[in-house]
Amino acid sequence: MQRGTRPAEAEHQGLQHDSLLDRGRLSVVISAGPAAIVENRAGKLTAKSENRTGYHSSLFAARTLGYFRCVTPQRRVMLDEPRQTRAEVRFFAQNATFERLWPLIRARVGEVFDNGKFSHGKQVAQLEQRLREYTGAQYVVGVNSGTDALVLLLRAAGLKPGDGVIVPAFSFVATASAVVLAGGVPQFADIDPGNYALNPGAIETALTPASRFVLPAHLFTSIADMASIREIAGRNELTVLEDSAEGIGMRQRGIHSGLHGKGGVLSFFPSKTLGALGDAGAVLTNDPGIAGRVAALRHHGRGGRTLDHFPGISTESGLIGTNSKMDDIQAAILLAKLTCLDEDIARRRALALEYGAGLAGIPGIRRRPELGPDDVCYVYLIEADRRDELAAYLAEAGIGTETYYPIPLHRQPCFAEFGPHPDLPHAEAACARALALPLYPDLEARDVHTVCAHIRRFYAEVAA
């Protein structure tokens, strides 16, 4: 069988197949025969047709790790190599992490299949408990994405249609679109150029009679100045919520991100410091009323803990909710990765220090992160002259980068109806210069050195 064989071609060659996994990275025919075996370099994972847990766990392995073989009674076939040429340094990858954690992941995923509850079940309940322990939150409510977490938090905190919510103009679009989805009106304020977070001094500039909430976003490495934000919010009768989607592990004055106001959120998008294999999120709060309302809103307005406790789930919907339950497979992945979260955070810090040394003294690099003791380096963001040219140069060399964020929120077309918006110079300047470099636990120090060498070479060439 040739690499890249399609299902019809596989049938033509006499191969049994259950499905073709084709995600751009790898393509494989999984056998539906009576004794299929999926092998990886570390050993064998047996998947017999009478053992559905083993079968599905092995299928999950094939989806997750790559470079497997599928052995059938009929024929042995090889998975494709990645179709695209491997980048010299990817912007994000976690292959080695999953190789290392596979025994834990496999065991937990097996529990999901044995239990037969695939969302809002035991794994989700365990994850909520572990996150309470890690963050110090009294309540953690798992949902299906960080964006949903923001929407449900805003609704649970009492947002009414037309309420103004002051947000930073430099953030991912979900910071402001969640406000609109919850029925509010985003009111954009400028950022502190030192940490890219909402500038406390800009809150009162953005204030209107409709303002009811302030929603700072904690970006890249650190938490916004929450003491000043709370003081200004209190003076103006604003409720403080936090877009702490990036903030797992970040603390300020001993308090975890998301717990400085009425509540916050976490995103478990795969590239986050704690990432799933798809979308997942959570709401953090110390307010029992907010926690109870979020828990109901995620499940069509119904009360009760998990789908493992059907008798305890209300048949009445007290709120107009939605379907935002977290999948148990995502919770299983997150529980496995939580075991090495602090190690991963330390690894990110070490790599950030390597970057700091390697980028020192390069003309054209205007700013590099400076990490405090409570900071967590989720994204290594630099500000660079000729940013777009630099990004293109690195891409040509096979080095992945990301632009955070190319358009300030107050200039995004989707928010035009809430204008006119003022000029916000610090947010606009950051959007013109900010560039994220590869940073993740599987990255090697030699990869950091390669990135730094190419950046140094770029500026040397443009100066020549």
Side-chain angles (χ1 to χ4, degrees):
M1 178 180 177
Q2 298 299 313
R3 291 176 177 174
T5 299
R6 301 301 185 195
E9 299 170 42
E11 289 172 354
H12 180 70
Q13 296 181 36
L15 291 172
Q16 295 183 4
H17 69 275
D18 182 64
S19 64
L20 183 78
L21 304 182
D22 188 352
R23 300 293 183 268
R25 191 171 70 86
L26 44 89
S27 302
V28 59
V29 175
I30 300 295
S31 169
I37 300 174
V38 176
E39 295 180 310
N40 68 10
R41 291 187 296 268
K44 295 182 179 179
L45 305 173
T46 302
K48 297 181 183 296
S49 58
E50 65 270 19
N51 181 346
R52 299 306 295 171
T53 296
Y55 174 81
H56 284 289
S57 293
S58 297
L59 175 60
F60 187 78
R63 287 179 182 274
T64 304
L65 297 180
Y67 303 113
F68 284 81
R69 295 180 294 179
C70 182
V71 184
T72 78
Q74 290 78 23
R75 190 171 303 187
R76 173 173 296 192
V77 296
M78 296 295 295
L79 279 106
D80 280 353
E81 297 287 336
R83 292 181 185 174
Q84 297 179 347
T85 302
R86 179 185 289 271
E88 187 173 342
V89 183
R90 296 183 189 180
F91 182 71
F92 174 73
Q94 53 182 345
N95 304 54
T97 291
F98 276 101
E99 287 276 8
R100 186 176 74 254
L101 292 177
W102 180 246
L104 282 174
I105 293 171
R106 185 186 180 199
R108 284 204 168 270
V109 171
E111 289 175 12
V112 175
F113 285 101
D114 287 340
N115 188 42
K117 301 294 192 298
F118 298 98
S119 70
H120 202 37
K122 288 182 179 179
Q123 299 290 323
V124 175
Q126 290 178 34
L127 177 64
E128 291 172 339
Q129 175 60 35
R130 286 288 290 109
L131 289 171
R132 286 195 292 271
E133 295 167 359
Y134 186 85
T135 64
Q138 293 183 34
Y139 305 95
V140 175
V141 184
V143 296
N144 73 1
S145 71
T147 301
D148 265 17
L150 277 173
V151 174
L152 300 186
L153 174 62
L154 285 158
R155 290 185 59 190
L159 180 74
K160 300 294 190 299
D163 282 352
V165 183
I166 297 171
V167 298
F170 184 74
S171 185
F172 184 56
V173 68
T175 302
S177 64
V179 172
V180 179
L181 291 170
V185 175
Q187 299 175 315
F188 299 105
D190 212 350
I191 61 167
D192 179 344
N195 63 4
Y196 302 106
L198 178 65
N199 184 345
I203 294 174
E204 291 182 318
T205 303
L207 198 68
T208 73
S211 301
R212 296 290 181 273
F213 293 83
V214 59
L215 181 67
H218 310 318
L219 298 179
F220 311 133
T221 62
S222 59
I223 296 175
D225 181 357
M226 292 308 300
S228 298
I229 289 172
R230 284 199 312 270
E231 190 276 325
I232 294 168
R235 192 165 66 234
N236 292 281
E237 299 183 345
L238 302 175
T239 298
V240 178
L241 302 175
E242 297 169 68
D243 181 352
S244 46
E246 300 179 3
I248 188 76
M250 296 180 190
R251 290 175 170 82
Q252 191 175 92
R253 297 180 177 85
I255 299 173
H256 195 278
S257 68
L259 299 174
H260 294 263
K262 281 288 189 177
V265 304
L266 294 174
S267 169
F268 303 119
F269 184 76
S271 63
K272 291 291 194 290
T273 305
L274 177 63
L277 272 184
D279 282 313
V283 171
L284 313 178
T285 184
N286 292 327
D287 186 307
I290 288 177
R293 288 188 288 276
V294 171
L297 287 167
R298 71 174 168 179
H299 191 199
H300 299 290
R302 303 169 71 187
R305 287 188 292 164
T306 74
L307 293 183
D308 286 318
H309 301 86
F310 277 108
I313 296 177
S314 171
T315 57
E316 295 183 347
S317 293
L319 299 168
I320 301 296
T322 188
N323 180 10
S324 186
K325 301 185 296 293
M326 182 188 287
D327 290 337
D328 272 51
I329 284 180
Q330 302 299 353
I333 298 294
L334 293 167
L335 282 164
K337 293 181 78 174
L338 259 172
T339 62
C340 60
L341 177 58
D342 287 337
E343 176 186 341
D344 286 350
I345 288 173
R347 175 66 177 165
R348 286 172 174 272
R349 176 177 285 269
L351 292 169
L353 293 175
E354 291 282 344
Y355 267 126
L359 296 174
I362 298 180
I365 301 299
R366 292 185 174 223
R367 186 175 183 274
R368 296 168 289 138
E370 296 181 4
L371 299 179
D374 292 329
D375 292 346
V376 173
C377 200
Y378 161 56
V379 169
Y380 193 88
L381 195 80
I382 62 172
E383 286 191 34
D385 292 333
R386 307 177 74 160
R387 187 267 314 276
D388 294 341
E389 294 174 60
L390 173 61
Y393 182 88
L394 294 175
E396 182 67 22
I399 296 170
T401 63
E402 290 286 344
T403 301
Y404 291 99
Y405 299 94
I407 303 174
L409 294 183
H410 64 297
R411 301 300 182 209
Q412 287 283 5
C414 62
F415 303 122
E417 65 181 285
F418 303 107
H421 303 299
D423 291 335
L424 300 173
H426 294 309
E428 291 160 15
C431 287
R433 295 194 295 258
L435 185 69
L437 305 180
L439 184 80
Y440 45 91
D442 289 359
L443 196 71
E444 299 290 344
R446 64 176 177 269
D447 297 324
V448 173
H449 302 157
T450 295
V451 176
C452 294
H454 277 80
I455 293 174
R456 189 175 295 276
R457 189 176 304 130
F458 168 77
Y459 285 109
E461 290 178 5
V462 298

